[in-house]
Amino acid sequence: MSATLPPRRLILLNGSREETTEALHALIKRNSMDAAQVAWPSPTTDTAQLLGQDFALAVFDAWQGLDPDKLGRLSGLVQAGGALVVLCPELDAWPRSPDPAEARLLPYPLPRSASSRHYLQRWIRILSDNDGIEICSPADSRTIRPISARQPTATPDQACTDDQQLAIDAVLKSALGQRKRPAVISADRGRGKSAALGLAAGELLHSGQAEKILVTASGLAQAANIFKHAMARLSGATWSENKKKL
């Protein structure tokens, strides 16, 4: 039976830029997180390069602009039990605050002054009406519950979730069945696709049913979870013997 994983959380820290940033630093410190556990991209960071990795905490700085692509990518980086923290102005003032990302969302040749901000007002209303979203000011940020992110540990004969086991079975069937019948896996970001591929690759190498497995990605970091879960399946001397095949 696969493990039941804790839910991911969405936390809105709204207030001044300085106070929300300070409150976030305090939150990270209280949860004893190091830099490797936090995805807090700078304005120049290409968040697409972070995909395939996971973090206990991901930070979306809405002061840099409400970029829906960046927000979507960061939401997919959060581990089970982890949190996506959005730093933003006070909710009442947010629709009137400058938005650096707005220019690229407006159709040419409309200027920024033509924006109605209806999209932002609707988003704030949806967030405010959702009891599952934690909305707090810097002053009450100390009441935020501890962030209990955990990376589920795969075992040699069990995936972390039922969906992952279905994906592993599909990959093994494709690899060992009729040729030229690929398996296509589709799921939201952060749902364990890389883990499933890694476990399947490890199983194929461990059983000797594959001589070499090729992994393609836009960068090594994007494939890190595949290699990590392959190691969990192979482990020890077996991984030392097989790591050049993957």
Side-chain angles (χ1 to χ4, degrees):
M1 183 69 178
S2 298
T4 300
L5 303 179
R8 297 164 176 83
R9 296 160 59 189
L10 175 59
I11 302 171
L12 260 68
L13 266 175
N14 69 110
S16 72
R17 186 166 196 169
E18 294 74 17
E19 289 177 337
T20 53
T21 301
E22 184 179 340
L24 178 57
H25 280 295
L27 177 66
I28 293 171
K29 185 176 181 179
R30 286 198 304 275
N31 285 273
S32 303
M33 294 180 182
D34 56 35
Q37 295 175 286
V38 179
W40 191 345
S42 71
T44 58
T45 300
D46 180 5
T47 51
Q49 296 302 313
L50 297 174
L51 296 177
Q53 305 173 63
D54 50 34
F55 301 86
L57 186 72
V59 181
F60 178 75
D61 188 351
W63 290 95
Q64 299 172 9
L66 185 56
D67 183 335
D69 293 330
K70 186 174 183 179
L71 178 61
R73 293 183 193 119
L74 287 171
S75 69
L77 303 179
V78 181
Q79 294 174 351
L84 170 64
V85 176
V86 176
L87 304 181
C88 62
E90 292 183 6
L91 299 188
D92 291 341
W94 193 358
R96 302 187 301 275
S97 302
D99 187 342
E102 189 173 51
R104 79 176 187 86
L105 300 178
L106 289 169
Y108 178 84
L110 294 180
R112 289 188 181 183
S113 58
S115 173
S116 64
R117 297 288 182 89
H118 290 322
Y119 69 94
L120 182 53
Q121 295 173 42
R122 180 176 182 272
W123 197 57
I124 292 172
R125 185 173 65 254
I126 291 172
L127 296 177
S128 300
D129 291 343
N130 191 319
D131 294 335
I133 295 174
E134 301 166 58
I135 301 177
C136 62
S137 66
D140 56 22
S141 61
R142 292 191 65 86
T143 64
I144 297 174
R145 292 180 289 109
I147 297 170
S148 55
R150 64 184 180 88
Q151 184 66 27
T153 303
T155 61
D157 58 353
Q158 180 175 302
C160 300
T161 67
D162 292 332
D163 286 340
Q164 282 183 349
Q165 188 59 57
L166 289 173
I168 292 169
D169 293 342
V171 172
L172 295 177
K173 182 177 179 180
S174 176
L176 302 175
Q178 185 176 344
R179 296 186 62 185
K180 298 182 179 181
R181 297 189 67 176
V184 179
I185 301 174
S186 177
D188 291 338
R189 296 187 184 103
R191 296 303 179 264
K193 297 185 296 296
S194 294
L197 290 172
L199 290 169
E203 173 61 29
L204 289 169
L205 293 173
H206 179 75
S207 63
Q209 297 178 94
E211 288 296 320
K212 195 174 186 69
I213 295 175
L214 178 66
V215 176
T216 64
S218 57
L220 184 58
Q222 284 71 60
N225 266 342
I226 296 178
F227 287 90
K228 179 173 68 176
H229 285 84
M231 283 195 292
R233 178 64 184 94
L234 293 171
S235 72
T238 307
W239 169 247
S240 300
E241 296 166 1
N242 288 278
K243 62 183 179 181
K244 292 183 179 180
K245 296 180 182 179
L246 184 62

